[in-house]
């Protein structure tokens, strides 16, 4: 109410109505008519309790803003909680990924060692197989050389015997051989 009176006093004192000619309180003075109309309008607004309604609306708006701020604050806290939760989950996932990588490295090292051992075994088997093949080839070569030497010796003996032996001696030798074979078989 004080504000209203202060406003009216300021409007009255600073009014250009004071500068008008003639009596101020007269229906012929337009400034006086405007002042009266303004005062009636302000009175009508006070009668309808417009300042109270404006105050109420402003209070409601202030409460709405406060409610929105409270909601925003609670949403912010909820978002911070979610962020902390996701950061914790990210750390857990990172730790799990590190464990998986470490385990994979260990398995790779074990697999590499097994592969080395398998390679050594494979090389040893191949060397043994190669040595066996070399030994077999050596034995075959020796057998072939002996067989060739025997063939040559038999051929040489045949030539020598053929040159030195007569037909009668050959027949006697054949008969003796047959008798010897016959004696051994029976």
């Amino acid at each position: 109410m004080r504000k209203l009176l202060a406003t009216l006093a300021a409007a009255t004192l600073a009014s250009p109505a004071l500068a008008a000619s003639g009596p101020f309180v007269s229906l012929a003075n337009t400034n006086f008519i405007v002042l009266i109309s303004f005062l009636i309008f302000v009175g009508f607004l006070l009668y309808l309790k417009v300042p109270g309604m404006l105050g109420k609306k402003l209070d409601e708006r202030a409460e709405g803003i406060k409610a929105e701020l409270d909601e925003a604050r609670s949403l912010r806290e909820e978002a911070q909680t979610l962020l902390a939760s996701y950061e914790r989950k990210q750390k857990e996932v990172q730790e799990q990924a590190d464990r998986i990588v470490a385990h994979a490295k260990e398995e790779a090292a074990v697999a590499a060692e097994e592969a080395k051992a398998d390679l050594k075994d494979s090389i040893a088997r191949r060397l043994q197989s190669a040595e066996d093949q070399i030994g077999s080839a050596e034995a075959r070569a020796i057998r072939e050389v002996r067989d060739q030497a025997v063939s040559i010796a038999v051929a040489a003996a045949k030539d020598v015997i053929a040159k030195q032996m007569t037909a009668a001696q050959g027949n006697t030798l054949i008969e003796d051989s047959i008798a010897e074979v016959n004696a051994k078989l029976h």
Side-chain angles (χ1 to χ4, degrees):
M1 187 69 166
R2 284 185 187 170
K3 288 183 182 180
L4 181 62
L5 290 177
T7 305
L8 287 175
T12 308
L13 292 177
S15 171
L18 296 177
S21 61
F24 179 70
V25 181
S26 162
L27 290 177
N29 190 349
T30 56
N31 290 336
F32 180 70
I33 298 296
V34 170
L35 176 65
I36 295 296
S37 299
F38 179 73
L39 289 176
I40 290 171
F41 178 72
V42 170
F44 181 71
L45 290 178
L46 289 174
Y47 175 74
L48 293 178
K49 300 180 182 175
V50 171
M53 286 192 285
L54 285 176
K56 187 186 219 181
K57 289 291 184 185
L58 288 174
D59 288 343
E60 287 175 3
R61 177 146 168 97
E63 287 177 11
I65 291 172
K66 184 178 179 184
E68 288 178 5
L69 286 174
D70 290 341
E71 183 180 350
R73 193 173 295 118
S74 68
L75 287 174
R76 180 175 180 247
E77 290 172 359
E78 186 177 325
Q80 285 178 338
T81 304
L82 280 173
L83 177 64
S85 170
Y86 284 128
E87 286 176 349
R88 190 171 46 253
K89 285 180 183 178
Q90 180 190 14
K91 286 180 184 177
E92 290 173 1
V93 167
Q94 184 63 39
E95 289 172 359
Q96 185 178 12
D98 292 342
R99 285 194 304 267
I100 289 171
V101 167
H103 183 68
K105 284 181 181 179
E106 290 173 5
E107 285 183 356
V110 168
E113 290 298 322
E114 288 178 0
K116 284 180 184 178
D118 290 346
L119 184 61
K120 284 182 182 178
D121 292 344
S122 175
I123 290 173
R125 282 193 305 270
R126 287 185 182 177
L127 283 175
Q128 184 61 39
S129 174
E131 288 175 2
D132 290 346
Q133 287 177 354
I134 290 172
S136 172
E138 239 177 50
R140 202 173 326 119
I142 290 172
R143 227 179 303 119
E144 286 177 6
V145 168
R146 278 190 196 149
D147 290 345
Q148 191 72 15
V150 168
S151 296
I152 292 173
V154 167
K158 177 181 169 188
D159 286 344
V160 170
I161 290 175
K163 287 181 184 175
Q164 293 179 357
M165 190 180 291
T166 61
Q169 286 176 340
N171 287 337
T172 309
L173 189 59
I174 291 173
E175 287 176 8
D176 289 340
S177 295
I178 292 173
E180 186 178 332
V181 168
N182 206 7
K184 287 186 178 178
L185 287 177
H186 290 70

